[in-house]
Amino acid sequence: MDGYGFLLDLALILLSTKVLGLITRRYHMPQVVGALLAGLIMGPAMLGILKETDFIQATAELGVIVLMFCAGMETDIEELKRSGKASFVIAVLGVIVPLAGGLAVGYFFNRPGVIESDANASLLLQNIFIGIILTATSVSITVETLKEMGKLKTRSGNAILGAAIIDDILGIIALTIVTSMADTSVNVIYVLLKIVAFFIVALIAGYLFYLFYKKWSDPSERGLQRHAIAAFVFCLLMSYAAEHFFGVADITGAFIAGLIMSRTKRAQYVEARFNTLSYLMLSPIFFASIGIKVELPAMTGEIIAFSVILVIVAILTKIIGCGIGAKVCHYKNYQCARIGVGMISRGEVALIVANKGSKLGLLGKSFLGPIVVVVVITTIITPILLKIIFKKGPGPELPLSDSALVDSFDKVI
């Protein structure tokens, strides 16, 4: 960290995200779009005033953890249970269809005479990996947009949250399988066992914390600061354990911690404190950091064509895959559209996956540029499309009954 330069970086991020957020709101777009544009404009992609630092990276990670913790606290658990099976179907198709689409695009462009690749892995593995990048979903963008619109607790919102969490797990499995083919030190069975172990441990730890927190906080007549601090400690421990011990994304641990907190008496008090923390500093830094990560490389004609087609495939395959999954589970057409659009954003998740593949020889340097383009466009377009798509259809969404959902799932099987 260069002296006190991080203070100037922080000031510039907060100012630019708020100014551009107000501008985008003026044009009836979610403010998160402004925050993303602020990172792009101030970062290496355009003006180069800001660059990624350890401070920005660490604070951004904390920002997305708090964001998903708040999302967990705002989630209707009963509705999440009702949509659980449907979320699984949506997530599976939301992985399979983009994977197939990415593989097809890679097969057409990633070959001698079109785009030369310097990756070490076989062309088949490289093309599969391009598909895996497209399976990623950055739910944080959608969560912030739905919160801003007051639609997070709708049936579509709950389905998106559930599907995105499952999508994350399926993405880890797919990534592990492919990387194990390129790196023999990776054991697929061991990774799968760790994922299962995480959810078992999370269930036990969550239940024990719930009992402790309830007994400790309920006798108080009002919410106290120590209640919020204890909740934050639990959130951070769950996030750390998920990533460090089990190889599951830290935001999954944070989301589960939020779900557990939502059942406590102090949930509303804790949520209010965290929303303030998130709005004041953490969320702006996180969303700006996505734009700051972006560095647009030089583009040839073939690379531009590949980028355009990859963007179109990235958008359509999520809408089609998740939309079909929702339709099969008896969601109405407008809900299918909302769910499909809500899963479009690839965000920082795709960048992380692409970077990992590049190090393992699964992705050539020529393909990093188009991946960045996909990330930028899907990240910016998702909030805009969500705002448009949520204006369509009837007002409040009514949940399906348990029996209706079970019947619909039985038909899928």
Side-chain angles (χ1 to χ4, degrees):
M1 190 179 295
D2 183 17
Y4 294 93
F6 74 96
L7 296 176
L8 178 60
D9 289 348
L10 178 57
L12 290 173
I13 288 173
L14 295 180
L15 178 62
S16 60
T17 53
K18 176 45 63 179
V19 169
L20 283 169
L22 292 174
I23 292 174
T24 52
R25 188 176 70 174
R26 182 183 181 90
Y27 290 95
H28 308 290
M29 291 187 292
Q31 291 193 60
V32 66
V33 175
L36 294 166
L37 288 174
L40 276 173
I41 294 171
M42 302 291 284
M46 295 186 69
L47 299 180
I49 297 174
L50 294 172
K51 62 181 181 179
E52 191 174 24
T53 63
D54 292 340
F55 169 76
I56 291 176
Q57 187 176 8
T59 309
E61 190 64 30
L62 185 58
V64 71
I65 286 172
V66 169
L67 179 64
M68 291 308 296
F69 180 63
C70 292
M73 284 194 288
E74 291 187 33
T75 301
D76 185 339
I77 291 184
E78 296 306 317
E79 174 57 30
L80 194 62
K81 290 178 181 176
R82 281 191 288 266
S83 64
K85 295 183 179 71
S87 293
F88 178 77
V89 176
I90 293 167
V92 169
L93 289 175
V95 166
I96 292 175
V97 177
L99 177 59
L103 174 61
V105 176
Y107 177 78
F108 184 81
F109 283 94
N110 184 23
R111 53 195 173 94
V114 184
I115 299 177
E116 298 290 340
S117 174
D118 58 353
N120 300 326
S122 67
L123 285 179
L124 177 60
L125 281 181
Q126 292 180 48
N127 296 335
I128 291 175
F129 188 77
I130 292 173
I132 288 176
I133 294 173
L134 295 193
T135 66
T137 297
S138 179
V139 69
S140 53
I141 308 296
T142 299
V143 165
E144 183 67 17
T145 305
L146 293 178
K147 283 177 67 177
E148 187 178 327
M149 296 191 301
K151 302 293 185 181
L152 186 59
K153 293 184 179 181
T154 61
R155 188 174 176 224
S156 298
N158 274 280
I160 291 170
L161 274 173
I165 296 298
I166 298 170
D167 182 286
D168 181 59
I169 302 301
L170 295 177
I172 291 173
I173 294 172
L175 179 62
T176 302
I177 292 172
V178 173
T179 53
S180 67
M181 295 178 182
D183 183 359
T184 55
S185 65
V186 177
N187 189 314
V188 179
I189 302 300
Y190 178 63
V191 172
L192 296 180
L193 289 176
K194 286 206 302 182
I195 292 173
V196 174
F198 165 73
F199 285 100
I200 295 173
V201 171
L203 183 64
I204 296 171
Y207 180 69
L208 293 176
F209 177 81
Y210 171 78
L211 293 178
F212 158 76
Y213 192 86
K214 181 178 174 60
K215 185 176 181 180
W216 174 60
S217 64
D218 281 4
S220 303
E221 295 182 1
R222 59 188 177 86
L224 300 172
Q225 290 182 354
R226 58 176 171 264
H227 298 154
I229 292 173
F232 198 13
V233 169
F234 177 60
C235 167
L236 295 175
L237 289 175
M238 288 286 285
S239 301
Y240 174 79
E243 188 80 54
H244 184 73
F245 296 113
F246 301 98
V248 177
D250 51 9
I251 60 173
T252 304
F255 180 76
I256 293 174
L259 284 178
I260 294 166
M261 279 300 304
S262 71
R263 308 293 287 182
T264 66
K265 184 179 178 180
R266 302 300 171 200
Q268 190 172 0
Y269 171 83
V270 172
E271 183 183 337
R273 298 300 180 275
F274 273 81
N275 281 334
T276 300
L277 173 65
S278 181
Y279 172 81
L280 184 64
M281 175 179 170
L282 298 179
S283 287
I285 293 178
F286 166 66
F287 291 114
S289 72
I290 298 175
I292 293 172
K293 287 178 186 287
V294 174
E295 294 185 32
L296 297 176
M299 295 284 195
T300 64
E302 292 80 6
I303 294 294
I304 291 174
F306 176 69
S307 302
V308 172
I309 294 176
L310 194 66
V311 168
I312 294 171
V313 169
I315 294 172
L316 292 181
T317 51
K318 278 292 183 183
I319 294 176
I320 294 171
C322 297
I324 291 175
K327 187 64 177 177
V328 167
C329 294
H330 289 192
Y331 281 80
K332 298 185 182 300
N333 289 337
Y334 71 92
Q335 292 172 326
C336 296
R338 291 175 179 180
I339 292 168
V341 168
M343 299 287 283
I344 288 175
S345 176
R346 300 320 197 267
E348 77 293 347
V349 179
L351 290 177
I352 293 170
V353 173
N355 184 57
K356 184 177 182 65
S358 180
K359 291 178 180 178
L360 292 173
L362 286 164
L363 187 70
K365 293 180 181 178
S366 301
F367 295 95
L368 285 174
I371 298 302
V372 170
V373 172
V374 168
V375 168
V376 171
I377 294 179
T378 58
T379 299
I380 292 175
I381 201 173
T382 298
I384 298 172
L385 292 179
L386 275 173
K387 185 111 179 184
I388 295 171
I389 207 71
F390 263 87
K391 289 181 179 178
K392 299 181 179 181
E397 296 185 23
L398 299 176
L400 280 174
S401 64
D402 289 341
S403 59
L405 187 56
V406 170
D407 290 341
S408 65
F409 185 72
D410 287 341
K411 291 180 181 179
V412 176
I413 300 301

